Amino acid sequence: MSVEQIDLAARRLDLAGARGFDAPGAGSARREAIATMTREWLGTVWAQALDGRPTEGIALAAVGSLARGDAGPLSDLDLVLLHYGRSLSGEDLRGLADRVWYPVWDAGVKLDHSVRTVNQCRTVASGDLTAAVGLLDLTCVAGDPEVVAAARSTVAHDWRANARRRLPQLLDALKARHARHGDLAQSIEPDLKEAHGGLRDMTVLGALVAAWLTDRPHEGVDEAHRVLLDVRDAVHVVTGRGRDRLGREDHDAVAALLGHADADDLLTAVANAGRTVAYALDGTVRRAGQSQRARTLRVGPRRPQLNPLGFGMFEHDGEVVLGPRSALSTDPLLPLRAAVVAARNNLPIAPTTLGNLAAQAPTLPEPWPEIARDLFADLLATGPGLIAVWEGLDQAGVVDRWIPEWAAVRSRPQRNAVHRHTVDRHLIETVVLAGGLVRQVGRADLLLLAALLHDIGKLPGAHDHSATGAPIARAVATRLGYRAADVAVVETLVREHLTLIDLATRRDHQDPGTVTAARAAVGGSRDVFDLLVALTEADASAAGPQAWTDWRATLLRQLAEAARSGWEEGSVPPPAQTVTVDASDLEAVAAGEPRVVVRPQGGSYRIDVFDRDRLGLFADTAGLLAAHGLVVRTAILRTVDGVAANEWHVESPSGEAPQADRIVRGLERLATGDRAPLGLLERRRQFAARPSAESGTGSPGQARALVVPHASEDATVIEVRAQDRPGLLHDLGIGFAKAGLSVRSAHIATYAGQTLDTFYVTEFGGRLLAPATVARTVAMIIDTCDGAAPA
């Protein structure tokens, strides 16, 4: 069989499949076999291309994954035809290159190729940082190995000699790449190669070592590298493409191929590996910088500069180290003290110091003594410096000694669209943000501890992580030595940490039932309520911008104010009359002329609509606002002296402010039966995906509607979960109107294309819905959400 007839990509895939994926050591053996087979095949190509010509002074070399021996089944080939510049004429070189490159292309493998002399390699490396790093791995595939050795040694010598100039360039390139591709450990669809903690960072680690500036850590890092390579190989096999991104659609197949229990287990392993590589890279970069500074010419002997930080800790070359007289083997508080000092000074703890603290410091007694508990609270209160220090402690195993329950949430992925971090990183981010709210509460230590533990119940198979996490938080707080009353507060905060934001976004805060529910969540304690409000804000802010918008912040503030009003007296404030109608508005509405007032509110708008009270006004207004491209967040509908005085809160994705006169004209035409103002809404619907059958595979299923018992004494409260679409609120409003029902208020939330809406509904005269009417209404809502026209 000639080389032109070989499908090299298919053979590498077959070889990968034959070696298996989930057996111990299978990945390394698979990659070694792929490298050996590829090199042998390239040797055959080289021999046929030379056709008996001598090989002195000319060679085929590889860089990249083939040179390192970690190529995947569908990895590209990076080949260099090397020569001294005197072996062959230019025409003969071009001919030889063509006879090598074309068989590779015909074999179905992507190829990056070049023809260079040894001096050209040196020139390219001096001007191109990426090329320089790549050429450090230059390896002979076929031909004269001396020319390859000459090129590699020349590039390596220049790399070491120019380390002082190249290191800042390398760091700038690292920062730029990490900014583009993000943090591998915090991504649901990580780039296994380019992200922070990815395979490219392993290459950078090798380049730093090649500069003779530092060694790199090996314990744990080599295993993390193997994990990432195994996942990369599995992605190649599953997708049939040489890609490096672990896409969401491939999670299940890759997890099954690698023998993981499920996709979350796979992502946890990937995140752990990425964190290990990232932490090793960050530490090695610091070591390289320290080594470079040490090479600076000095007059006299070089003595270590130790700046005292307290507790026997010192700052040395940008890291926290133990002093010579530290009681490492006898003081169980030393890890806590080192962490507090490091975080307060926004410095990392030196890896050697971390290793000594983890291995030699005695274990704290249980329950912890008061001084240990106070130090832990001080650590949580250190602010942004906590993030890097906690990561170091976690990598060294210190966190597991303090909180064994932490291991269950370490690197656990979060598939909710509002979250941007893994569970454990989200907890630390929440602690940092809660630190900015401690002035609003009486017990800062309990707020910070609850922030650290509020999602500790996000375990595999947990249906309600708040309920699951509450007893875990109780156990942790008890072990830390808190009094029983304080433990109960922490348990309550963890159990109820979603209650206030749910009430604020899905209930009418002016309804007495909502206020009563908010107070009941904390057992009637005003102090605990203040803690819960602060925890709610910190949790939502840490989740990401989708979870903490200006509008959601306003809703939480309004609920908190309503709950606090009259707390000491035990009274519930009456519904606020936030809309007043003056005489001129009454006259205008009586004459059939709607009035609309638009008020900006931070990043949203409040629109007050005054019109004749009629069935269908809610639907018309909702449809008109949707036609104008506005997103409704809340609607509160009232009747004052026979006039509908409706309060709408909307957001404008386009950034354009709502126009009151356009809304007035639209309402006037809709009141006469003219549906033309809704024409733009119909055009928006044409470009939107429909639910159910039209959405194809991946549909979330039938909409759900349920009655929330005891949520209000004055209205029937119905919660709706469905796939969102343009005009859905308008369609539901039509359904309510045809059923003869009035919407007293509506509260709208949308996440990842799914809507979670709550409606306070009454009969048109204000009566609660009868059971039969409730059943018909729920059926109507489900049919409408699933695409059927309201009956």
Side-chain angles (χ1 to χ4, degrees), residues 560-623:
E561 290 174 353
R564 287 170 178 144
S565 178
W567 192 300
E568 289 74 13
E569 297 81 8
S571 61
V572 175
Q577 185 64 45
T578 59
V579 180
T580 59
V581 186
D582 58 32
S584 61
D585 289 332
L586 286 173
E587 293 177 0
V589 172
E593 180 183 336
R595 289 292 181 91
V596 174
V597 180
V598 177
R599 299 184 180 91
Q601 292 185 325
S604 61
Y605 297 88
R606 169 175 165 171
I607 302 176
D608 291 330
V609 177
F610 306 97
D611 203 349
R612 289 178 177 175
D613 193 19
R614 59 181 174 85
L615 281 173
L617 178 59
F618 172 81
D620 287 347
T621 308

Side-chain angles (χ1 to χ4, degrees), residues 5-175:
Q5 295 174 311
I6 292 177
D7 188 340
L8 182 61
R11 286 184 59 180
R12 292 163 87 185
L13 278 174
D14 291 342
L15 188 59
R19 292 280 171 170
F21 275 80
D22 55 354
S28 299
R30 176 177 61 252
R31 287 182 287 275
E32 183 178 351
I34 288 174
T36 299
M37 185 268 289
T38 305
R39 288 171 181 274
E40 290 176 350
W41 181 80
L42 287 172
T44 303
V45 172
W46 177 256
Q48 293 189 12
L50 284 174
D51 194 21
R53 296 182 181 89
T55 62
E56 183 178 359
I58 189 167
L60 181 65
V63 295
S65 60
L66 180 61
R68 295 188 300 270
D70 59 16
L74 295 177
S75 292
D76 301 350
L77 292 180
D78 297 304
L79 301 178
V80 184
L81 200 163
L82 272 175
H83 62 102
Y84 283 124
R86 58 180 182 269
S87 304
L88 296 173
S89 66
E91 184 176 348
D92 288 340
L93 274 174
R94 286 191 293 272
L96 175 60
D98 287 344
R99 290 193 297 275
V100 175
W101 307 149
Y102 276 98
V104 177
W105 287 322
D106 292 341
V109 178
K110 291 183 179 179
L111 172 66
D112 186 8
H113 59 88
S114 60
V115 179
R116 289 175 182 153
T117 65
V118 172
N119 286 333
Q120 285 173 338
C121 288
R122 186 177 193 180
T123 302
V124 169
S126 66
D128 187 329
L129 181 67
T130 302
V133 172
L135 286 169
L136 291 172
D137 295 321
L138 192 69
T139 302
C140 183
V141 174
D144 187 351
E146 291 187 5
V147 67
V148 180
R152 178 166 177 164
S153 62
T154 300
V155 170
H157 175 270
D158 290 349
W159 180 252
R160 293 191 296 271
N162 296 304
R164 186 173 183 179
R165 176 175 62 88
R166 304 308 292 267
L167 181 61
Q169 297 174 356
L170 185 63
L171 298 186
D172 289 342
L174 274 178
K175 291 177 182 177

Side-chain angles (χ1 to χ4, degrees), residues 504 509 533 548 550-564 601:
H509 68 269
V533 171
W548 192 242
D550 290 342
W551 177 236
R552 288 168 71 86
T554 299
L555 292 177
L556 180 62
R557 176 181 54 79
Q558 291 174 344
L559 174 61
E561 290 174 353
R564 287 170 178 144
Q601 292 185 325

Side-chain angles (χ1 to χ4, degrees), residues 709-760:
H710 314 300
S712 174
E713 296 181 357
D714 305 318
T716 301
V717 180
I718 302 176
E719 187 175 276
V720 180
R721 304 185 183 204
Q723 185 167 324
D724 195 22
R725 67 172 186 266
L728 176 59
L729 191 59
H730 167 68
D731 293 343
L732 290 171
I734 291 176
F736 289 131
K738 288 184 176 181
L741 305 178
S742 292
V743 178
R744 198 188 73 183
S745 68
H747 309 269
I748 315 301
T750 303
Y751 305 107
Q754 302 302 304
T755 185
L756 179 57
D757 302 343
T758 306
F759 298 93
Y760 285 65

Side-chain angles (χ1 to χ4, degrees), residues 437 440-441 446-447 450 454 489-501 503 517-523 525-539 556 559-560 564 567:
L437 304 173
Q440 303 175 17
V441 301
L446 300 185
L447 170 62
H454 73 277
V489 170
V490 172
E491 182 179 7
T492 296
L493 293 174
V494 172
R495 185 180 60 249
E496 304 293 342
H497 75 270
L498 295 177
T499 298
L500 294 188
I501 200 65
L503 290 173
R519 293 178 180 177
V522 294
S525 169
R526 171 67 182 270
D527 291 339
V528 179
F529 182 80
D530 291 341
L531 287 167
L532 188 57
V533 171
L535 176 59
T536 302
E537 178 176 340
D539 179 22
L556 180 62
L559 174 61
R564 287 170 178 144
W567 192 300

